[in-house]
Amino acid sequence: MLKSLAFAAAIAVTTVSGAMAQTIGLATTQGGATEQIATAIAKTVSQATDLQVRPQMLANTSQYIPLVNDGRVEFGIANYPQTFYALKGEGMSAGQPAPNLKLVATLIPFNAGMMVPSSLGIKTLDGLKGKRVPRFPANSLGDYIIRASLATAGLTYDDVTSVPTANFPAQFQAFKDGATDLTIATAGAQYTFDFETTLKGVTFLNYKEGDEKVLAAELPGTFLKPVGSYKVPGVSEDTVIFAYDYTLFANAEVPNEVVAKVAKALFEGQAALKETGPIWNEYDPAKIGKAGVLEYHPGAIEFYKSVGIWTGE
């Protein structure tokens, strides 16, 4: 039985426009692209259904994956590599498998890379040698991304000046304050516009052909992505960053009808989601039921089959 506060209270009930609304939790990180995505989902689903979705913000994904797995929060958001490792109990989730997570939707590509102030005058990752680079706690997502990115240029933490960094919000603040020379950033995320103004120009460092294999060894599902046509901070005509999918997942015991309502709201909510910001520009509702190696919630599968977009068996 689900142990979340919402479900323990028989799924909290409030009156909204004369209808009875169930309150459900959506776990997310505080700040950055993940919070933007969670806020957009919560608004879209809450407006389109009798569900009231409440984002529950924590410092990092590794804190809330166990909460969703244990049923203390109904839904959560994470990137594909982190969800993959959580379900397998490998990599950054070694020894802590989360077998009770089921996918609800494959959302949008997480288009990200290594961003530096343009004043550094570098455009490739080998230019990071000797620079001040965030060092996240071992086995965290930030640690995986930084280590894998450095490895594409034949670098390690020994080749840079490591700056201890607790989490993504701390990373963003340190970069904005000039305490580091680098941040992991999402192309088109709201905070990058702030960085561009504060630092008087920012640049995404370019990955090269073959780097996708190095990245995918640490971050399953990762691929390279040219983004020269994007009109967002840090991007120029030749910019190549990396990408992997964002996923929405739920505890396996969330009722099928609740998951189906969320899936339906996302499928029909393309306009509402895209109104929230450019991070949703590539959202395609026909692809949210993209089957892969990770198992979907039966409530989601049932809905995707009903509208003809399920790609699994």
Side-chain angles (χ1 to χ4, degrees):
M1 179 179 292
L2 281 169
K3 293 172 281 187
S4 71
L5 294 177
F7 273 76
I11 310 179
V13 181
T14 56
T15 301
V16 179
S17 299
M20 303 305 284
Q22 299 175 349
T23 300
I24 58 176
L26 173 59
T28 179
T29 54
Q30 184 173 14
T34 307
E35 181 181 343
Q36 283 183 247
I37 292 170
T39 301
I41 290 173
K43 179 180 179 181
T44 299
V45 175
S46 296
Q47 290 180 342
T49 72
D50 61 353
L51 303 173
Q52 289 300 300
V53 183
R54 305 298 188 201
Q56 299 183 19
M57 300 174 188
L58 287 90
N60 55 61
T61 314
S62 61
Q63 289 184 354
Y64 62 74
I65 281 179
L67 298 182
V68 181
N69 184 67
D70 292 344
R72 287 179 280 172
V73 180
E74 290 80 18
F75 291 83
I77 296 174
N79 58 76
Y80 183 91
Q82 206 155 21
T83 306
F84 177 93
Y85 280 138
L87 284 165
K88 301 292 185 181
E90 301 172 358
M92 61 188 80
S93 292
Q96 295 180 313
N100 297 325
L101 301 185
K102 302 297 180 185
L103 289 191
V104 174
T106 299
L107 297 168
I108 52 177
F110 175 77
N111 302 317
M114 304 293 102
M115 177 175 279
V116 300
S118 299
S119 59
L120 283 186
I122 62 174
K123 294 194 69 174
T124 55
L125 286 137
D126 53 7
L128 291 174
K129 188 170 184 178
K131 301 298 188 294
R132 298 169 299 164
V133 172
R135 186 158 188 171
F136 291 85
N139 232 27
S140 65
L141 175 62
D143 176 53
Y144 269 67
I145 293 175
I146 295 289
R147 286 192 294 103
S149 294
L150 290 174
T152 65
L155 303 175
T156 69
Y157 283 126
D158 292 337
D159 300 304
V160 298
T161 300
S162 296
V163 179
T165 304
N167 48 46
F168 281 93
Q171 173 201 228
F172 298 141
Q173 191 63 50
F175 183 67
K176 183 177 178 181
D177 292 343
T180 60
D181 298 315
L182 175 75
T183 186
I184 302 166
T186 307
Q190 186 58 47
Y191 58 80
T192 63
F193 292 85
D194 190 18
F195 292 159
E196 183 177 50
T197 300
T198 302
L199 300 173
K200 296 180 172 55
V202 288
T203 300
F204 274 111
L205 299 180
N206 283 341
Y207 292 86
K208 61 186 182 300
E209 185 177 354
D211 285 350
E212 66 273 18
K213 295 180 180 178
V214 179
L215 294 169
E218 296 282 356
L219 300 162
T222 300
F223 53 95
L224 297 186
K225 190 166 187 177
V227 290
S229 62
Y230 290 26
K231 305 302 181 185
V232 295
V235 169
S236 58
E237 292 182 357
D238 60 350
T239 300
V240 178
I241 55 178
F242 68 83
Y244 44 64
D245 289 326
Y246 254 110
T247 65
L248 173 67
F249 50 83
N251 181 278
E253 293 187 24
V254 175
N256 287 359
E257 60 269 24
V258 171
V259 172
K261 287 178 182 179
V262 171
K264 184 175 187 290
L266 294 175
F267 179 69
E268 297 177 349
Q270 182 176 15
L273 291 168
K274 288 190 173 184
E275 285 176 359
T276 66
I279 198 169
W280 288 93
N281 282 350
E282 294 180 77
Y283 180 66
D284 182 353
K287 296 180 179 179
I288 61 177
K290 181 174 65 176
V293 299
L294 302 182
E295 186 176 352
Y296 273 73
H297 193 288
I301 294 174
E302 182 179 358
F303 172 74
Y304 296 143
K305 284 183 176 179
S306 74
V307 293
I309 64 169
W310 176 244
T311 61
E313 297 180 356

